Amino acid sequence: IQDRVNCGLPAFPSFGASPQANDAALTYPAQPNATNQMNPGPPLGLLAKTYKGSLDRFGSLVAGEGLIFQGQRNATGLEQGLGGKSVYLQSYNATTGESSWAPFVQQIHDKNVSTLFWIGDERNAAALIQAMSTASQFPKIFITSPNIYTPTFPKLAAQYASGHVYTYALNVPFNEAGPGGVMKQYLKIKDKYAPGTPNDALAVNAFSNWLLFAQSAKACGSNLTRKCLAEQGAKTTSWDAGGLQVTTNPGQNQISDCSVLMKLGSKGFTRVAPKTGFGCSQKWIVSLPSLGLGAKAKS
């Protein structure tokens, strides 16, 4: 990362794989994830607004020990910024999965977790949900990060969800792609140039970042240099990909204060809150001490 920054090469990433990458200079993501913010703050704030008391006994289950630190930071943000209480934090084997999910189900039940936040892959999430269903021991709310917003997850988990499973979307929901709308445009383009590919949240992130890069490059005209591209990225302080996603600030690496709460049913994920558009509040953007790990640009 430091080598990239040293040579003045800007990045428009659709997904950041590490705190160092997320905090680095010359980085312009359409969905920022800098370490000085609690990234799931807005959706958890919307959850608490929709279901009173849902953050009173909050738990997290994350993919591998490497994400425990992120879970700890989320717990800090939850308690200091959203008025919740963290009572459970554990990791699972993200490489091979678990031979049995029963111990996790029992731990979550024993801790009386009201809301469990899952950060991980969809197949292991579905296995845990099935185990919860078998034991009849569900937290009131099982909520996942948006990478679970895919067409395959409902096929794996909907029959076991029992009204407990949620996710949040940072883009217009796929089932709300009305005629003439920007989501309808996106799906038309995707189906033309990448037929057969799934409608999932990470694909929307990638498309939005490509669009941000293309707009920045276009603004440079024939003078398309690293310097100009970085300058255009830094100028983009309000971005929603034409209405495809929540409004973020890529130029200053700042998250949105908005999201949509979705619930898993027999027909997949559908909107719970708000009734239309995105639910937003500046109170849900929780500041955290920056880890200070990002590569710095030379002065």
Side-chain angles (χ1 to χ4, degrees):
I1 299 169
Q2 188 65 61
D3 289 341
R4 172 183 69 78
V5 172
N6 286 348
C7 66
L9 184 65
F12 294 78
S14 57
F15 188 85
S18 69
Q20 291 86 346
N22 292 331
D23 283 356
L26 304 180
T27 301
Y28 310 105
Q31 290 291 350
N33 192 17
T35 63
N36 65 346
Q37 301 155 333
M38 181 193 175
N39 194 269
L44 292 181
L46 178 59
L47 179 69
K49 178 182 178 181
T50 306
Y51 299 109
K52 300 299 183 184
S54 56
L55 302 185
D56 289 351
R57 296 191 65 81
F58 183 84
S60 296
L61 187 54
V62 303
E65 293 183 0
L67 283 175
I68 284 288
F69 184 61
Q70 183 60 54
Q72 291 171 337
R73 287 175 65 80
N74 285 346
T76 298
L78 175 93
E79 294 184 347
Q80 295 183 358
L82 299 177
K85 175 67 175 177
S86 177
V87 297
Y88 177 79
L89 173 60
Q90 189 56 267
S91 66
Y92 71 91
N93 191 323
T95 304
T96 62
E98 296 289 338
S99 58
S100 172
W101 290 95
F104 292 91
V105 175
Q106 191 62 50
Q107 290 168 12
I108 293 163
H109 178 73
D110 290 345
K111 290 291 186 179
N112 193 23
V113 173
S114 56
T115 292
L116 182 72
F117 184 46
W118 170 273
I119 305 177
D121 67 285
E122 60 185 12
R123 294 192 178 277
N124 279 306
L128 174 60
I129 290 166
Q130 183 176 356
M132 288 176 167
S133 178
T134 299
S136 297
Q137 292 181 341
F138 262 104
K140 291 181 180 179
I141 294 170
F142 180 105
I143 186 168
T144 77
S145 47
N147 63 299
I148 297 295
Y149 188 19
T150 71
T152 53
F153 183 68
K155 296 176 183 178
L156 296 169
Q159 62 181 311
Y160 308 111
S162 303
H164 295 275
V165 180
Y166 298 75
T167 192
Y168 61 93
L170 302 177
N171 56 264
V172 174
F174 296 113
N175 65 329
E176 297 179 13
V182 66
M183 178 53 77
K184 190 72 172 182
Q185 289 181 286
Y186 162 77
L187 294 175
K188 184 177 180 180
I189 292 169
K190 183 186 71 68
D191 291 343
K192 179 179 179 179
Y193 294 101
T197 54
N199 299 337
D200 61 53
L202 293 182
V204 177
N205 282 9
F207 186 87
S208 181
N209 276 273
W210 169 82
L211 192 61
L212 175 58
F213 165 80
Q215 176 177 288
S216 301
K218 182 179 179 180
C220 291
S222 59
N223 183 37
L224 182 53
T225 63
R226 297 177 181 189
K227 183 175 183 293
C228 180
L229 193 60
E231 288 173 348
Q232 292 300 323
K235 287 180 181 179
T236 308
T237 55
S238 181
W239 179 258
D240 66 0
L244 187 62
Q245 64 161 56
V246 295
T247 302
T248 60
N249 182 344
Q252 297 174 332
N253 208 9
Q254 300 293 304
I255 64 173
S256 175
D257 64 346
C258 304
S259 65
V260 178
L261 185 62
M262 311 281 287
K263 187 174 185 176
L264 181 60
S266 60
K267 296 183 179 179
F269 284 109
T270 55
R271 173 190 292 270
V272 174
K275 291 183 178 180
T276 60
F278 296 108
C280 310
S281 174
Q282 280 292 317
K283 294 179 181 179
W284 300 337
I285 294 185
V286 180
S287 297
L288 296 170
S290 175
L291 296 179
L293 299 176
K296 307 299 182 183
K298 292 181 178 179
S299 58

